Amino acid sequence: MKIATWNINGVKARLETVLAWLQEADPDVACLQEIKSIDENFPREEIEALGYNVETHGQKSFNGVALISKRPLEDIQRGLPGDDSDEQARYIEATISTETGAVRVGCLYLPNGNPLGTEKFPYKLGWMDRLIAHAKCRLAQETPFLMLGDYNVIPDPKDARNPENWTNDALFQPESRQKFRTLLNLGFTEAVRSCTDAAETYTFWDYQAGAWQKNNGIRIDHILMSPLATDRFSGCGIDKHVRGWEKPSDHVPVWVRLAA
DNA sequence: ATGCCTTGTCGCACAAGA
């Protein structure tokens, strides 16, 4: 079973690219972020035509997440618990049943948090606290659980080509990295770093200043697996070549493979 | 560098991203 995550930066502008990638990569489940669409405008028929079920949690203009799966998506949960006043569409979760049991999959778009010194950074940290609380809840349950998405956190200096350029950025603040470690230390395995220690392993390259051509990237899209999910983990990858396609997103897909 | 691109918006410049 192949489960992927990708921040597509706008489903309207990226539909042809998304369809091309789905046909090439053939994931069983895909978590999409930054759909930038309300649910009613999401191009569900085009994706259903490739054999997928589609569930969205969108909003106007910004943010928005979607879960697509060849198998049915059950027990859909929209929004991250812990703050009823939060109107930003950044989380959707569902259960997928397989021949060997169910997996619970959370698709997340963690707040960017920039610029520092505004209300955006405490919103990011508060959202991470809510994610930690929710993850504890899921770890206490029997179903294998994965959280995939755009975490907007550079975990380590080696996860940036030029870490010194990020010292005043919300993605690389000590508080952001600390909370990411707290989340991991609940008992999750981070898929990509469990596969490779290779330097220059990135998932995002800015559109500006030739970042892609210079390989000036960062690694901010992550897949966290609960112990029961990790037991079934058999491999992972980053579809870096997609960044070189026409009209690319600034992020590329990241995926894991689980037994059955 | 408050810059550089890209997307979406009841557009004709601006907000937001990272």
Side-chain angles (χ1 to χ4, degrees):
Chain A
M1 180 183 205
K2 185 177 182 181
I3 309 178
T5 177
W6 189 15
N7 179 323
I8 60 173
N9 188 19
V11 72
K12 185 180 173 189
R14 207 74 58 220
L15 181 58
E16 294 310 313
T17 310
V18 170
L19 295 174
W21 171 75
L22 285 173
Q23 289 177 281
E24 175 190 281
D26 195 33
D28 296 288
V29 180
C31 303
L32 306 178
Q33 301 92 37
E34 275 205 279
I35 63 173
K36 296 186 175 180
S37 165
I38 59 174
D39 296 334
E40 292 75 12
N41 291 347
F42 190 85
R44 64 166 49 239
E45 290 82 6
E46 291 89 335
I47 292 173
E48 285 169 349
L50 297 183
Y52 289 96
N53 300 283
V54 176
E55 294 289 345
T56 61
H57 180 42
Q59 68 177 85
K60 194 174 177 184
S61 306
F62 304 116
N63 308 319
V65 287
L67 261 174
I68 69 176
S69 170
K70 291 181 178 174
R71 292 189 177 91
L73 291 158
E74 301 159 357
D75 300 322
I76 317 296
Q77 183 174 345
R78 289 177 174 80
L80 184 66
D83 182 359
D84 292 339
S85 69
D86 184 0
E87 295 183 345
Q88 299 191 29
R90 295 178 175 276
Y91 192 82
I92 186 169
E93 189 181 285
T95 299
I96 297 108
S97 296
T98 75
E99 292 81 355
T100 54
V103 293
R104 186 82 179 160
V105 174
C107 167
L108 66 97
Y109 177 43
L110 206 148
N112 173 299
N114 282 308
L116 297 176
T118 70
E119 74 290 346
K120 296 189 175 196
F121 189 56
Y123 173 68
K124 174 181 192 143
L125 298 179
W127 205 95
M128 296 184 82
D129 287 335
R130 289 162 56 199
L131 185 63
I132 290 164
H134 181 64
K136 280 183 191 169
C137 189
R138 286 286 170 266
L139 286 172
Q141 297 169 335
E142 294 179 2
T143 308
F145 178 56
L146 301 93
M147 297 188 297
L148 306 89
D150 177 359
Y151 282 74
N152 270 318
V153 174
I154 302 167
D156 187 86
K158 77 184 295 185
D159 296 313
R161 174 65 173 267
N162 301 118
E164 65 279 7
N165 291 353
W166 299 91
T167 50
N168 293 316
D169 194 288
L171 279 61
F172 196 52
Q173 286 309 290
E175 297 96 323
S176 309
R177 297 169 58 197
Q178 170 65 51
K179 288 193 189 295
F180 185 74
R181 282 195 298 274
T182 299
L183 182 62
L184 274 180
N185 290 340
L186 296 177
F188 287 95
T189 296
E190 201 240 282
V192 169
R193 272 299 173 239
S194 78
C195 285
T196 177
D197 280 331
E200 304 195 345
T201 299
Y202 307 131
T203 67
F204 169 93
W205 296 260
D206 201 289
Y207 288 123
Q208 302 184 69
W212 167 244
Q213 289 75 11
K214 295 185 234 173
N215 198 25
N216 179 15
I218 52 177
R219 195 174 71 91
I220 56 175
D221 299 271
H222 307 300
I223 300 177
L224 270 56
M225 304 178 292
S226 75
L228 288 172
T230 306
D231 287 343
R232 294 164 60 171
F233 177 52
S234 65
C236 70
I238 299 174
D239 289 344
K240 180 178 179 178
H241 66 286
V242 172
R243 186 64 177 80
W245 286 359
E246 291 292 313
K247 271 188 72 98
S249 170
D250 39 8
H251 297 250
V252 295
V254 183
W255 52 268
V256 291
R257 205 176 282 283
L258 304 184

